[in-house]
Amino acid sequence: MDYDIKDISLAERGRLRMEWAEMAMPVLKAIRSRFEREKPLQGIRLSACLHVTTETAALMRTLKTGGADLCLCASNPLSTQDDVAAYLVKDLGMPVFAIKGEDSKTYYDHIQAALSFFPHITMDDGADLVSSFHFIALEKWEDLIPSLRDWAKALSPSQRQTMIHGLLGGTEETTTGVIRLRSMERSGVLKFPVIAVNDAETKHFFDNRYGTGQSTIDGILRATNRLLAGSIFVVSGYGWCGRGLALRAKGMGADVVITEVNPLRALEAVMDGYRVMTMEEASEIGDFFCTVSGNVNVIRREHFLRMKDGAIVANSGHFNVELDLIGLEDISVSKKRIRDFVEEFHLQSGRRIYLLGEGRLVNLASAEGHPSSVMDMSFANQALSVEYLIKHHQDLQRKVYPVPEVIDQEIARMKLLSMGIRIDQLTKEQEHYLASWEQGT
Ligand code: ADE
């Protein structure tokens, strides 16, 4: 079996950490028990491009138990937990291609390995696997890095046929990936149905909000060991991730400032009790800056130039494009690594700016990503969406589909059950009342 990981001897540590994570993932565990009996994924080859974490390992165990043949590559160069990668190779016998800190060429070599698995199903986090597949299928050679292009061009006609026509469908984990896929659908190029796991309510209400909220603070604190109380903490973007991050920063005693481009979200932030202003204004006062907008160059050269000496800058959005790092390099006279995941940029003005985790998602670069109990619901959505795709792919078109509402509701029900929480049921009278229009005052 082919694989590319840092060090297989880390496997035992990875196993113990995976077991710890699984203790907080009861919904996924219940799905695994059913998959063990029913084997709904038997005979399916699945390539996953995910953050290689303890929670992802629990998902891989579940899918394997369901009968799938799996291949896993990293969905970000800096998010891999090397001990988990070792555990998956050694104990689960899975081909894994992921090394924390891998360069861009290695990252795409690993995506290539996941494509060479000729999957029936893809599972993506950020849509790098699916977009690479489409660049190949559409022969958009200029959009591929040279090594992946050479590999794709060397495929035999029958390999190309298997790769392109063998794919039944895919799932997508995150907001950024869903945005990319919808753009592919609108352009008419999407080649198979994809389920937008991110858009399930049991995903983004919890994972994006409470998961990103807590783990981003965790990443910033592990990297810096600075005090948030009494500081000014600037959050860029007030989507679900921004809402969660602002809430947790406020809870730690920070004075939270929001920057937004959407007037409704900006208004919501004001009424949630935060100061809202432009980045031009915020850049002069912030002690911490964290982008969670999903857009490019949200903090730019002109903003870095206004920042106070010692400002700490991080990103928790999917791609490292939210900070204008080229601009930051340009205005700096020198840079040096101060401690793990902290780089000091010395500006011509004499001021210093501290960049965390190379501007990559700080919650996975310098911490461990979302806690297991929210990933429990996200990955339950993944497992059940794969099962759904296998059963229903013939009825689906080349579109982005929501997670079926019955799956979403079932996951919420299972999560409540695992927490020992019972809720009321509608009475017959209430059902009737809700279904009728005749009853007024
Ligand atoms: N994305 C954010 N946190 C994660 C985690 N713990 N595992 C996998 N993907 C994640």
Side-chain angles (χ1 to χ4, degrees), residues 243-287:
R243 291 177 182 111
L245 176 56
L247 194 66
R248 293 299 173 248
K250 185 176 177 179
M252 299 284 281
D255 171 9
V256 176
V257 168
I258 306 293
T259 72
E260 243 304 339
V261 290
N262 177 324
L264 271 173
R265 288 186 175 176
L267 204 53
E268 182 185 346
V270 172
M271 302 222 177
D272 285 347
Y274 304 111
R275 285 196 280 164
V276 175
M277 58 185 80
T278 62
M279 182 53 81
E280 184 178 314
E281 294 166 303
S283 56
E284 286 188 346
I285 60 172
D287 298 300

Side-chain angles (χ1 to χ4, degrees), residues 51 53 55-56 125 363-364 368-370 375 379:
H51 301 297
T53 65
E55 292 75 23
T56 297
D125 187 334
N363 62 335
L364 281 142
E368 294 169 68
H370 302 349
M375 293 314 294
F379 284 168

Side-chain angles (χ1 to χ4, degrees), residues 162-418:
T162 312
M163 189 178 97
I164 295 171
H165 299 288
L167 249 162
L168 308 177
T171 63
E172 171 52 55
E173 171 76 7
T174 201
T175 319
T176 295
V178 172
I179 290 170
R180 293 177 89 185
L181 289 161
R182 291 233 159 85
S183 155
M184 291 165 88
E185 181 188 324
R186 271 196 310 279
S187 313
V189 298
L190 190 63
K191 292 226 170 279
F192 49 82
V194 182
I195 297 190
V197 165
N198 179 73
D199 294 358
E201 296 193 343
T202 46
K203 201 279 184 181
H204 66 269
F205 281 177
F206 302 91
D207 167 313
N208 302 31
R209 181 166 36 171
Y210 303 115
T212 307
Q214 177 169 317
S215 63
T216 300
I217 297 286
D218 187 14
I220 292 172
L221 296 187
R222 286 199 210 188
T224 64
N225 195 29
R226 285 281 158 84
L227 185 69
L228 293 188
S231 71
I232 297 182
F233 194 107
V234 180
V235 176
S236 288
Y238 203 62
W240 288 107
C241 296
R243 291 177 182 111
L245 176 56
L247 194 66
R248 293 299 173 248
K250 185 176 177 179
M252 299 284 281
D255 171 9
V256 176
V257 168
I258 306 293
T259 72
E260 243 304 339
V261 290
N262 177 324
L264 271 173
R265 288 186 175 176
L267 204 53
E268 182 185 346
V270 172
M271 302 222 177
D272 285 347
Y274 304 111
R275 285 196 280 164
V276 175
M277 58 185 80
T278 62
M279 182 53 81
E280 184 178 314
E281 294 166 303
S283 56
E284 286 188 346
I285 60 172
D287 298 300
F288 294 89
F289 294 83
C290 188
T291 48
V292 270
S293 73
N295 215 327
V296 290
N297 292 332
V298 175
I299 303 187
R300 299 182 288 277
R301 173 191 310 244
E302 65 264 30
H303 304 128
F304 288 123
L305 284 169
R306 288 170 173 266
M307 287 181 186
K308 298 193 287 195
D309 182 35
I312 291 170
V313 181
N315 164 54
S316 209
H318 184 80
F319 286 119
N320 62 338
V321 296
E322 306 207 15
L323 311 171
D324 172 16
L325 296 179
I326 296 171
L328 179 58
E329 296 259 359
D330 259 11
I331 57 171
S332 301
V333 287
S334 63
K335 68 171 181 182
K336 69 171 183 250
R337 175 142 294 226
I338 294 289
R339 43 189 269 147
D340 287 351
F341 308 109
V342 182
E343 233 170 348
E344 179 186 81
F345 287 77
H346 221 118
L347 307 199
Q348 283 135 12
S349 62
R351 292 185 200 160
R352 291 157 300 175
I353 290 175
Y354 294 94
L355 174 70
L356 307 189
E358 301 168 18
R360 298 197 186 274
L361 357 83
V362 70
N363 62 335
L364 281 142
S366 58
E368 294 169 68
H370 302 349
S372 317
S373 72
V374 283
M375 293 314 294
D376 188 25
M377 288 190 281
S378 310
F379 284 168
N381 274 293
Q382 286 284 9
L384 297 183
S385 294
V386 168
E387 182 183 29
Y388 179 86
L389 270 176
I390 292 166
K391 278 195 192 138
H392 298 284
H393 66 91
Q394 303 92 330
D395 313 323
L396 301 176
Q397 294 165 18
R398 299 168 170 196
K399 288 187 172 167
V400 180
Y401 285 89
V403 172
E405 203 185 329
V406 283
I407 292 184
D408 217 353
Q409 293 279 328
E410 173 66 2
I411 291 171
R413 201 187 58 71
M414 288 167 81
K415 190 70 175 174
L416 282 169
L417 188 73
S418 77

